[in-house]
Every structure is written in C-alpha cells, then in structure tokens.
Amino acid sequence: MYCIIGANGFLGSYILKSILNKTQERVVACCRDISLVGDTLKDKRITWKNLDICDFDAVNSFCNEYKSEDKKIVYLAAYHNPDLVEKNPRIAWNTNITALSFFLNAMENVSAFYYPSSDSVYGNSIDGKVFKEDDKTNPVNTYGKQKALAEKIVNTYGYQVVRYPFLIGTSLLSAKKHFYDSIVDNLKSGDGMDMFSDSYRSTISFRQAADYLVDLIEMGDKHPVVNISSDKALSKYDVGIIIAGKIGVDKSLVRAIKVEDSEGIFVAKRASSTIMDNKLLKSIFKLDEINLEI
Ligand SMILES: NC(=O)c1ccc[n+]([C@@H]2O[C@H](COP(=O)([O-])OP(=O)(O)OC[C@H]3O[C@@H](n4cnc5c(N)ncnc54)[C@H](OP(=O)(O)O)[C@@H]3O)[C@@H](O)[C@H]2O)c1
C-alpha cells in the first residue's frame, strides 16, 4: 500500500496518477481538507483521509489505524513558499521539521519512505558548478536550510531523499493553477509573459518528477539521496519559449527580463542559478539523456 502525505498538491496529484498507472497498489492519500479534493483525483483504489501533520493526536491515530499495513510512504506536506518561510520561520519549522520528525517516529511498518527535497539545499552554482548528491550543501535562505535539515533527519532515520529542481506542468488540481497554466493563459491571450533569462535550473516536468520517484520506489532503490533533474539547465525564459512552441504561439510573446529587475519582488534570497548533476539517476535507469518533457 502507498501512503501519500500532502497528496492534494501539484506534485502529489502527479504522484497519485503515476502510482495508479504503474502499479496495482491501493493508496491512502492525506490532505488537510478532503472536501477540496477534485473528482479527477478520486479513484476506487484511493482512500482520502483528513490529516494535518501538525496535529499530533491526529497523526498518532492515523499511524495507529494503518499500523499493521506494509506501507510505501511519500511525504510531501511542507510549508514551502520561500518568502513565507522567511517571514514565518517558526510556523515553517513546526511543519517542515517538528511534524516531519514526529511522523517518522510514529509510523510503523514502513517498507519505503521518500522525502522530496529541493535544489535549494545546494545554493548558488558559482562558475557553472554542477551539484552532485554528495556535494556540501550551502542553502541561501531559510527554506533551503530547513530542507537540508529535513533531509538529514530522513536519512538518519534510514530513509530516502530525492532532490528536485523547479518543476513545471499543468495543474491537475481543479482549485489551483500552476505557473505553467498562467504562462499558457498569458501567451494564448496575447498579453505575453516576462520571464527571467539569467537564472538557471535543471528543470523537469511534474510528470517526470513523479514517474522517476515511483520507479525508484518500485525498484526498491536505497540510495540515500538522488537528484531527479534534466541534463540541461534552463532559464524560465527558455521554458517559456518551449511552452510557446508547444502551444503554437508567437515566441516573441515571451519577453526576457533580468533577475535584477525583480528587486523587491522576493523577500527571501534566491540562488541565481542552481545546476544539478543527474548521472546517478541516469545510471540507475540506464538512460543516456533526460530532457524536459512538457
Ligand atoms: N513544485 C516544485 O517545483 C518543487 C520542487 C522541489 C521540491 N518540492 C517539494 O515537493 C513537495 C510538494 O510540493 P508541491 O509543489 O506539490 O506543493 P503544494 O502543491 O503546495 O503541495 C504541498 C502539500 O502539502 C500539504 N500540507 C501543507 N501543510 C500541511 C499540513 N500541516 N498537514 C498536511 N498537509 C499539509 C498541502 O496541503 P493543503 O492543500 O491542505 O494546503 C499541499 O497538499 C514540497 O515538500 C516541496 O518542497 C517541490
């Protein structure tokens, strides 16, 4: 059985689809308010449960209810907007560190536990540095620091971490649009979109992110940390151009802007570029290349 904590989010919804496509397993999917789960995420193999991971009584009774079942867990619940984490570090700590640690210690009968982390743990790719899994972490903001600590907690417990770059793709959630959907809307309406051309990430799609993760779990991979990213570092402008090509609109609607023009938009510092090495992932799946597929 799979157990997805924080399942009604962008990545969670793709992971649910991937589990349904790739396995015959049942899924217990948790979120804070199951009345907000759209019909597209309902399936006879999925049982939806209300669970706030900061409510320790609720976590205890949830863990007790599923005590005897063998579980593969993907833990997605997070307070993860870098600007909000910077403003509310204690609230973020409760969710990202205290609740994670409590859950790890409360749940029994776990055959796999995967924690999706972020390229934000690496910090800046100075002089084009390409970060490998065992490179020293050097996060530039509180979100990245909490992710780095959460990874250590998960690894110390004996479980697995995957690190993702910026993920993109259409939202599968009826109530929440993704940045991808806003780009498509702005390009289709003719308004166009300003996008950073001087900040790079090893971007992949939500579908790829979910599929590689479920494949790792199904094969029983036990590497402590795996980067799940593409071969090519792309700016958001590059991604905009790819999307314009995909939906068949004039590429000049995507307008290049510089990060320095964003002064005042962000509260938390961002690494200007973070480039990830994906050789481990490619060696696990015997792949020659991994490119963004949207
Ligand atoms: N998207 C990316 O580009 C990216 C890249 C790297 C890593 N990640 C990591 O992937 C994970 C999922 O990200 P996402 O993009 O899918 O974000 P998302 O759409 O915001 O999903 C996060 C989920 O966590 C749930 N959650 C938050 N606090 C909770 C709590 N106290 N109890 C239970 N559930 C709670 C949210 O539930 P509610 O619906 O109830 O708010 C939501 O369903 C995060 O850990 C994030 O750091 C994402």
Side-chain angles (χ1 to χ4, degrees):
M1 184 183 92
Y2 271 85
C3 174
I4 312 299
I5 307 295
N8 193 25
F10 293 124
L11 182 55
S13 52
Y14 275 90
I15 290 173
L16 289 176
K17 293 273 174 218
S18 187
I19 294 168
L20 295 179
N21 287 338
K22 288 175 178 284
T23 78
Q24 295 305 313
E25 303 254 16
R26 290 183 305 118
V27 185
V28 174
C30 304
C31 67
R32 279 183 289 191
D33 185 353
I34 59 170
S35 71
L36 301 178
V37 177
D39 287 343
T40 52
L41 294 188
K42 292 189 178 148
D43 186 274
K44 59 180 184 319
R45 278 200 276 147
I46 303 178
T47 306
W48 280 95
K49 290 272 182 185
N50 279 318
L51 181 65
D52 181 338
I53 46 139
C54 295
D55 177 346
F56 295 159
D57 289 339
V59 170
N60 270 332
S61 52
F62 175 78
C63 291
N64 208 30
E65 184 177 351
Y66 290 100
K67 196 174 168 173
S68 54
E69 307 239 21
D70 182 58
K71 290 165 295 293
K72 302 173 196 175
I73 299 175
V74 182
Y75 189 99
L76 297 159
Y79 193 90
H80 63 83
N81 177 310
D83 295 332
L84 290 180
V85 176
E86 215 61 47
K87 275 190 195 158
N88 306 309
R90 287 165 189 264
I91 297 173
W93 182 276
N94 261 349
T95 307
N96 297 340
I97 306 297
T98 311
L100 167 70
S101 171
F102 187 88
F103 184 92
L104 273 172
N105 211 27
M107 189 55 110
E108 295 175 61
N109 221 344
V110 177
S111 56
F113 185 105
Y114 268 82
Y115 176 76
S117 184
S118 151
D119 63 1
S120 64
V121 300
Y122 289 125
N124 263 309
S125 279
I126 294 165
D127 297 331
K129 164 84 181 160
V130 179
F131 289 106
K132 291 199 176 94
E133 287 82 352
D134 53 5
D135 278 325
K136 193 173 173 306
T137 57
N138 189 20
V140 302
N141 57 30
T142 308
Y143 168 65
K145 287 176 190 167
Q146 292 192 358
K147 279 294 203 197
L149 176 57
E151 289 187 354
K152 283 210 168 65
I153 291 170
V154 169
N155 280 161
T156 303
Y157 220 92
Y159 296 140
Q160 275 61 47
V161 167
V162 289
R163 288 186 184 139
Y164 289 126
F166 167 63
L167 302 175
I168 188 120
T170 190
S171 172
L172 302 180
L173 310 166
S174 37
K176 244 189 352 181
K177 278 189 176 184
H178 191 257
F179 183 49
Y180 174 93
D181 303 299
S182 307
I183 299 171
V184 170
D185 288 350
N186 280 19
L187 297 185
K188 281 190 173 163
S189 71
D191 286 348
M193 189 89 184
D194 296 339
M195 300 186 80
F196 295 131
S197 60
D198 56 346
S199 169
Y200 292 85
R201 298 287 185 277
S202 306
T203 303
I204 54 165
S205 68
F206 280 110
R207 187 190 52 74
Q208 291 171 290
D211 282 350
Y212 286 127
L213 174 58
V214 173
D215 287 342
L216 284 173
I217 297 172
E218 286 301 302
M219 72 196 290
D221 185 78
K222 293 295 175 208
H223 286 91
V225 181
V226 179
N227 286 344
I228 299 186
S229 60
S230 71
D231 291 353
K232 211 166 157 190
L234 299 170
S235 66
K236 296 227 168 87
Y237 171 79
D238 296 328
V239 173
I241 294 290
I242 293 171
I243 295 172
K246 180 182 151 82
I247 63 174
V249 299
D250 184 351
K251 291 182 179 165
S252 68
L253 285 165
V254 185
R255 296 177 295 263
I257 56 164
K258 303 275 181 214
V259 171
E260 65 204 35
D261 301 334
S262 75
E263 274 311 288
I265 296 179
F266 299 129
V267 176
K269 262 196 228 162
R270 264 65 171 177
S272 59
S273 291
T274 306
I275 308 171
M276 296 166 82
D277 179 290
N278 62 5
K279 287 195 194 70
L280 175 59
L281 183 70
K282 289 199 285 194
S283 74
I284 292 170
F285 293 118
K286 301 186 175 33
L287 297 171
D288 293 328
E289 54 181 292
I290 299 176
N291 294 307
L292 170 64
E293 292 168 11
I294 43 175

